[in-house]
Amino acid sequence: QVQLVESGGGLVQAGGSLRLSCAASLSIFRGRAMGWYRQAPGKQRELVATISIGGLTNYADSVKGRFTISRDNAKSTVYLQMNSLKPEDTAVYYCNQVPPPTYWGQGTQVTVSS
């Protein structure tokens, strides 16, 4: 069964932190690079962080130094620790393979107030 379940979003003030989690089915997670994507209202979905099978990470310039992606291969779970949040980080956050297939989970809403 193909499944992606994102959680951990919420409303936070600027400067605050959130930790997102993504539980993925093995068919999506095993042997794949994974990433966190986000889509703000009226904008295209963008890739903000990636992690390889071995743990190598990459970040979009807009989140570098503030966000940290990690994965637990035993739990088929990907995390995104978000610190020093800004209003422009407001978006629906999704996890998926890199590059992504056509299937997406429901995402988790992150709202940062100024």
Side-chain angles (χ1 to χ4, degrees), residues 6-87:
E6 299 93 345
S7 62
L11 173 63
V12 64
Q13 288 189 333
S17 299
L18 285 172
R19 188 189 193 216
L20 307 184
S21 298
C22 171
S25 56
L26 285 179
S27 62
I28 292 178
F29 187 90
R30 182 180 288 165
R32 303 279 189 169
M34 296 293 292
W36 281 96
Y37 303 76
R38 68 185 181 186
Q39 187 167 22
K43 296 188 177 180
Q44 292 210 346
R45 191 173 291 164
E46 62 172 341
L47 178 62
V48 296
T50 65
I51 186 165
S52 71
I53 302 166
L56 293 176
T57 58
N58 265 296
Y59 300 92
D61 287 343
S62 57
V63 307
K64 201 171 292 184
R66 301 187 297 121
F67 289 11
T68 303
I69 188 172
S70 59
R71 64 190 291 163
D72 185 332
N73 291 334
K75 296 181 179 179
S76 299
T77 300
V78 186
Y79 304 97
L80 187 68
Q81 177 66 43
M82 304 188 296
N83 299 327
S84 302
L85 283 161
K86 304 175 181 180

